[in-house]
Amino acid sequence: MQLGSLQEIIDQYIHDGQSVALEGFTHLIPFAAGHEILRQKKRDLHLIRMTPDLIYDQLIGVGCARALTFSWGGNPGVGSLHRLRDAVENDWPRPLEIHEHSHAGMAAAYTAGAARLSFGLLRGYVGTDLPGVNPQVREVRCPYTDEKIATVPAINPDVTVLHAQAADRQGNILIRGIVGAQKEAALAARTLIVTVEEIVESLDAPMNAIVLPHWVVTAIAEVPTGAYPSYALGYYARDNAFYLAWDEIARDRERFTEWIDRHVFSSRDHAEFLDSLAEAA
Amino acid sequence: MQLGSLQEIIDQYIHDGQSVALEGFTHLIPFAAGHEILRQKKRDLHLIRMTPDLIYDQLIGVGCARALTFSWGGNPGVGSLHRLRDAVENDWPRPLEIHEHSHAGMAAAYTAGAARLSFGLLRGYVGTDLPGVNPQVREVRCPYTDEKIATVPAINPDVTVLHAQAADRQGNILIRGIVGAQKEAALAARTLIVTVEEIVESLDAPMNAIVLPHWVVTAIAEVPTGAYPSYALGYYARDNAFYLAWDEIARDRERFTEWIDRHVFSSRDHAEFLDSLAEAA
Amino acid sequence: MMTIAAARLIWPGCVCFVGIGVPSAAANLARLTHAPDMVLIYESGGIGTQPRVLPLSIGDGELAETATAVVSLPEIFSYWLQAGRIDLGFLGAAQIDRFGNLNTTVIGGYAKPKTRLPGAGGAPEIALHAKQIFVVLKQSPRSFVAKLDFCTSAGFLNGHGERARRAIAGAGPQVVITDLGVFKPAADSQELTLVARYENVSVDKIRQATGWPLAIADNIDVVATPTADELRVLRDLHKRTEIAHAGDVLRSRKTPRPLTSQVNA
Amino acid sequence: MMTIAAARLIWPGCVCFVGIGVPSAAANLARLTHAPDMVLIYESGGIGTQPRVLPLSIGDGELAETATAVVSLPEIFSYWLQAGRIDLGFLGAAQIDRFGNLNTTVIGGYAKPKTRLPGAGGAPEIALHAKQIFVVLKQSPRSFVAKLDFCTSAGFLNGHGERARRAIAGAGPQVVITDLGVFKPAADSQELTLVARYENVSVDKIRQATGWPLAIADNIDVVATPTADELRVLRDLHKRTEIAHAGDVLRSRKTPRPLTSQVNA
């Protein structure tokens, strides 16, 4: 486990063309890490995530992604991700290859990835058109009942990036609250990068808490408020107003580009990004 | 969820011929419930459990079981389960049909059972003689890599019995510490019976603790020290001396039968059983 | 009004898988009125949540803090939904057809759609495994269509028993609630049939807002107007929600909290 | 002495999957001497446990209380063992053959065995997925056999590259440690070869305790006698363990603690 600045870590571990999962199911979304990927202008990424959120809208809108594996691509509680839509509908700023699942299918795929099985099983996709557009959704016959059961291939990202509440000095990571498929995405990855709200002497984790031991973590950066505008339970709330405002910002290509220039590209790190937003408000 | 005495609950929900899993991986073993099954002289049970412990040695030795599904049948840290051995080696007191797995296989089978999949997958059983003696271990081909992957049929016990630290007034159950495959066994069952150390106003469970919600629990009995001679983290330690002593008691059919008569059959409930042991000590 | 109509159909003790928007409002309204013991499950992992305010997203902190248990998303979909533990699932859609099949994926062709919608999320498997489904959506000829552009979630497929023949575990959409009326599947064909309308909405208006020749029940009920209690509870809920969501997160960060490490790394 | 010989072979930082008995003692001895940063994983779910005393069972409370994380058993076997995260697995056995295959199931026929042993437990998959395996057992013609009565866990199968040809992930048994000596697989055939003996144990004695014509390395090392430090740490560990396990649980229950419900049910 390596402790470093987010800038160093993204530079060292995320490379053009890789498959990258910034997971977080409406909680602990690694926004700071996503912005650093934007700043470093990574290209041709295969982005993976159950719920591409605003941060994927930004990565796609800037043109960092060549492909997206996902199961629900909206602005949660608000509506569309306009940059994602523009990429799919109009190939702007570049075409985006999409690999589409249901949540259940993608959860099974991450689970298989974490367990290093080549595929996952689910009773799913029956009667839908999804297998028609995603040839990766297949089926096996149960060796006991002869039923057909849907299969999905394991997802094993080159890099998974998470945001968590805390790491201890050894690099053990504590994740609390709504955890989505973060643990599975973490354990499925070849490289695991974690940003944390703070580094503490001791996690004081309750028994049976969700702790990722230091020896499965590649690198950690301390980034306070690193999930903003998403939230970190116990630290700060979700900025719902930002999610609402994003709908307007992202609707228009120019306004989006200006916003990225002004707030992401013109800030050197996450603290400056937050300051620039606060100034604008 | 029904709250009642252990006697009532075992009488009402466990019937001759059923498949019954009293789970607990060297922790929270439902001894009191097992003794009540003995007292009520249930017969022809198909016992299921990863690690048949002393309580299964007793059930088998008295002749309650016609079959056993398991993956490791020893006295942990001590040696053999002599009653299990006598049943397998000498058909005493009756023949015992065995369905044998590895831990990984049985864990996958419970997991499939909890998810209501008809089978589970694992990279396992390669090069062993187990599939030769357990025809339920089969394989499927991965639809992506064409590899052969082992399969096990789901385990869905008629009844699962657990011991847990606490239930709240609504019947939500908190399990802390080493949890084995208890949650999977609980959710795989048609009927779920839980004995608890105590019933409390509020579980005060930490976020992401292992809590079984009241509406998946069939019946709860409050049985303090109900896991003795196993342990309940936060309540009492394992009685290692009892596990050592059991090796002597169970080695001999007569001594075993006397012990069961004196301590289990002659006591009306778990409190009396504990008293009778304390007197004998 | 959709919210109130939907809430009324929820029964005490119901284990309900909830999405954001009208379903969440309806489920919480039911919980705060006639079904206090119902169990809310959000796909984000909260089991038995009792939010005091309506979540804006499916994974708000409120849902974790008030839950009996918070589990992972793979667990929600395998041990809870797929295992058949959900009595009622709510779904919305951009398009519905006469057999209750739903589209939330694209308008137009899949490869180059006219409108790319958010996609499937939990819906395809909720549609299969929840014991029954309520569908809530706004009604117009654009949403009530003769043919879906894409089938995201199975209703009754081609009807006439096809769902049962394919051995799908759940019973499928039992009620469709729109801003104009309420629909239920016919017993034999499973074709959606108008069974109730709101006051001041004519059957003709509903027919015109439907992209296929609509089946009409012999007796059309009128949905009762909201009671004072329903309106009060719903207003209070929305008010609490507004206040809770109005906090200025970015500025509140400026109040002193240690932004530097506790460790001299 | 087996414990000390095994402990010495554990390296700093090693992620070690431990069973009860000699493996647990050896791993903890290593942790308390030259490999303080090794990671102990018990199959009961404790990841990164640091027991102060030796557990009697694989699921003692001590293991949970001192762990970095305590996870379920299905998770241990899927996300941790099967996923290839274990550097070293320890296995014991009642029988071993010349290719390091192990029997912990039965002596005699399976259907009506002469001796029914505990069975497989975690061993078959530990044998497949741990990057390497150390085997620890007492040596005699009854345990070092020409042919196993039952193969519970794969070593090198029939040797000569069969394990690699079957694409088994882990490298298999790299060291076998007995009370007489130490064995390693030959590079080409993978047949177990005597590479070291303890002081005062002759090669002839080891040969006689082996149920097949034993391969002997050109140079046989002598296992160094235990150092004062090793003996002290091991004695302290055993002493702490004895004291900890001697508590009278049944009597301590008699001290007042509320045995009645906190709720007037």
Side-chain angles (χ1 to χ4, degrees), chain B residues 26 71 89 91 100 123 231, chain D residues 59 110 112 116 118 121 129 151:
Chain B
T26 76
S71 45
E89 294 169 12
D91 289 347
E100 191 162 358
R123 294 187 190 275
Y231 74 106
Chain D
Y110 182 80
K112 196 53 57 182
R116 174 66 228 196
H129 300 299
C151 179

Side-chain angles (χ1 to χ4, degrees), chain B residues 219-248:
Chain B
I220 297 175
E222 190 184 33
V223 186
T225 328
Y228 176 89
S230 163
Y231 74 106
L233 190 82
Y235 289 83
Y236 46 91
R238 190 169 184 269
D239 190 348
N240 289 308
F242 187 92
Y243 276 81
L244 290 166
W246 184 253
D247 189 64
E248 287 305 311

Side-chain angles (χ1 to χ4, degrees), chain B residues 3 25-27 50 70-74 76-80 85 87-91 98 100-105 107 111 122-130 133 169 177-181 184 197-201 222 224-225 228 231 233 235-241 243 271 274-275 277-278 281, chain D residues 20 43-46 56-65 70-74 77 81-82 101 105 110-125 128-129 148-154 157 166 168 244-245 247-254 257-265:
Chain B
L3 191 63
F25 198 83
T26 76
H27 176 213
M50 299 187 69
F70 77 112
S71 45
W72 192 83
V78 179
S80 287
R85 280 188 56 179
V88 173
E89 294 169 12
N90 309 308
D91 289 347
I98 65 177
E100 191 162 358
H101 279 287
S102 66
H103 281 349
T111 301
L122 70 156
R123 294 187 190 275
Y125 293 107
V126 177
T128 87
D129 289 339
L130 282 165
V133 298
R169 298 182 70 130
I178 285 172
V179 294
E184 286 71 21
E197 286 298 320
E198 57 178 344
I199 291 171
V200 297
E201 276 300 319
E222 190 184 33
T225 328
Y228 176 89
Y231 74 106
L233 190 82
Y235 289 83
Y236 46 91
R238 190 169 184 269
D239 190 348
N240 289 308
Y243 276 81
L274 294 173
D275 288 342
L277 281 187
Chain D
I20 289 305
E43 69 186 7
S44 56
L56 180 67
S57 89
I58 198 114
D60 279 19
E62 177 78 7
L63 299 177
E65 283 158 6
V70 180
V71 303
S72 76
L73 199 134
F77 280 95
L81 178 65
Q82 179 176 273
N101 303 299
T105 302
Y110 182 80
K112 196 53 57 182
K114 190 165 150 286
T115 306
R116 174 66 228 196
L117 304 166
E125 285 73 26
L128 297 177
H129 300 299
L148 301 180
D149 289 350
F150 190 95
C151 179
T152 312
S153 308
L157 304 162
R166 293 183 69 171
I168 294 174
H245 289 174
D248 187 334
V249 176
L250 203 56
R251 277 168 205 274
S252 70
R253 153 191 107 91
K254 294 281 175 182
R257 54 165 296 272
L259 286 184
T260 55
S261 170
Q262 297 188 4
V263 174
N264 303 321

Side-chain angles (χ1 to χ4, degrees), chain C residues 30-56:
Chain C
R31 184 173 63 80
L32 296 170
T33 52
H34 64 281
D37 63 347
M38 71 175 292
V39 176
L40 268 66
I41 299 188
Y42 285 78
E43 70 185 8
S44 56
I47 296 175
T49 59
Q50 309 194 16
R52 290 150 296 199
V53 302
L54 293 176
L56 179 67

Side-chain angles (χ1 to χ4, degrees), chain C residues 51-71:
Chain C
R52 290 150 296 199
V53 302
L54 293 176
L56 179 67
S57 89
I58 198 114
D60 278 18
E62 177 79 7
L63 299 177
E65 282 159 7
T66 64
T68 306
V70 180
V71 303

Side-chain angles (χ1 to χ4, degrees), chain C residues 100-142:
Chain C
N101 302 299
L102 305 176
N103 174 17
T104 56
T105 303
V106 286
I107 305 295
Y110 182 81
K112 197 52 56 184
K114 191 164 150 288
T115 306
R116 172 68 227 196
L117 304 167
E125 285 74 26
I126 296 170
L128 297 177
H129 300 299
K131 286 177 193 155
Q132 55 176 288
I133 296 293
F134 289 180
V135 182
V136 183
L137 78 170
K138 287 207 172 181
Q139 185 168 1
S140 79
R142 289 195 312 157

Side-chain angles (χ1 to χ4, degrees), chain C residues 11-255:
Chain C
W11 58 97
C14 169
V15 177
C16 184
F17 203 90
V18 192
I20 290 304
V22 170
S24 178
N28 280 292
L29 176 58
R31 184 173 63 80
L32 296 170
T33 52
H34 64 281
D37 63 347
M38 71 175 292
V39 176
L40 268 66
I41 299 188
Y42 285 78
E43 70 185 8
S44 56
I47 296 175
T49 59
Q50 309 194 16
R52 290 150 296 199
V53 302
L54 293 176
L56 179 67
S57 89
I58 198 114
D60 278 18
E62 177 79 7
L63 299 177
E65 282 159 7
T66 64
T68 306
V70 180
V71 303
S72 75
L73 199 135
E75 182 179 324
I76 278 285
F77 280 95
S78 58
Y79 291 0
W80 299 88
L81 178 65
Q82 180 175 272
R85 294 182 223 278
I86 309 298
D87 295 324
L88 173 61
F90 270 102
L91 295 175
Q95 293 182 333
I96 187 170
D97 71 13
R98 75 182 69 192
F99 294 114
N101 302 299
L102 305 176
N103 174 17
T104 56
T105 303
V106 286
I107 305 295
Y110 182 81
K112 197 52 56 184
K114 191 164 150 288
T115 306
R116 172 68 227 196
L117 304 167
E125 285 74 26
I126 296 170
L128 297 177
H129 300 299
K131 286 177 193 155
Q132 55 176 288
I133 296 293
F134 289 180
V135 182
V136 183
L137 78 170
K138 287 207 172 181
Q139 185 168 1
S140 79
R142 289 195 312 157
S143 65
F144 269 56
V145 296
K147 189 170 165 24
L148 301 179
D149 288 350
F150 189 94
C151 178
T152 313
S153 309
F156 295 102
L157 305 163
N158 291 304
H160 306 282
E162 185 181 351
R163 187 178 169 103
R165 281 195 300 279
R166 292 183 70 171
I168 294 174
Q174 299 300 303
V175 187
V176 175
I177 299 148
T178 77
D179 51 337
L180 301 181
V182 178
F183 306 79
K184 292 191 177 183
D188 49 352
S189 66
Q190 290 97 50
E191 183 171 334
L192 292 179
T193 305
L194 179 68
V195 297
R197 59 180 182 80
Y198 296 96
E199 264 190 299
N200 307 323
V201 177
S202 70
V203 170
D204 244 25
K205 183 172 176 192
I206 298 173
R207 217 192 290 267
Q208 282 160 22
T210 305
W212 67 83
L214 181 65
I216 314 274
D218 292 341
N219 296 301
I220 304 290
D221 288 335
V222 173
V223 178
T225 49
T227 66
D229 193 48
E230 285 169 337
L231 287 176
R232 183 187 51 75
V233 170
L234 195 59
R235 273 187 205 128
D236 287 356
L237 187 59
H238 280 302
K239 199 169 180 184
R240 283 203 301 279
T241 300
E242 240 170 70
I243 293 166
H245 289 175
D248 187 335
V249 176
L250 203 57
R251 276 167 206 276
S252 70
R253 156 190 105 89
K254 294 283 177 183
T255 60

Side-chain angles (χ1 to χ4, degrees), chain A residues 210-228:
Chain A
I210 299 168
V211 175
L212 294 170
H214 62 90
W215 49 278
V216 301
V217 182
T218 310
I220 298 175
E222 192 183 33
V223 186
T225 328
Y228 175 88

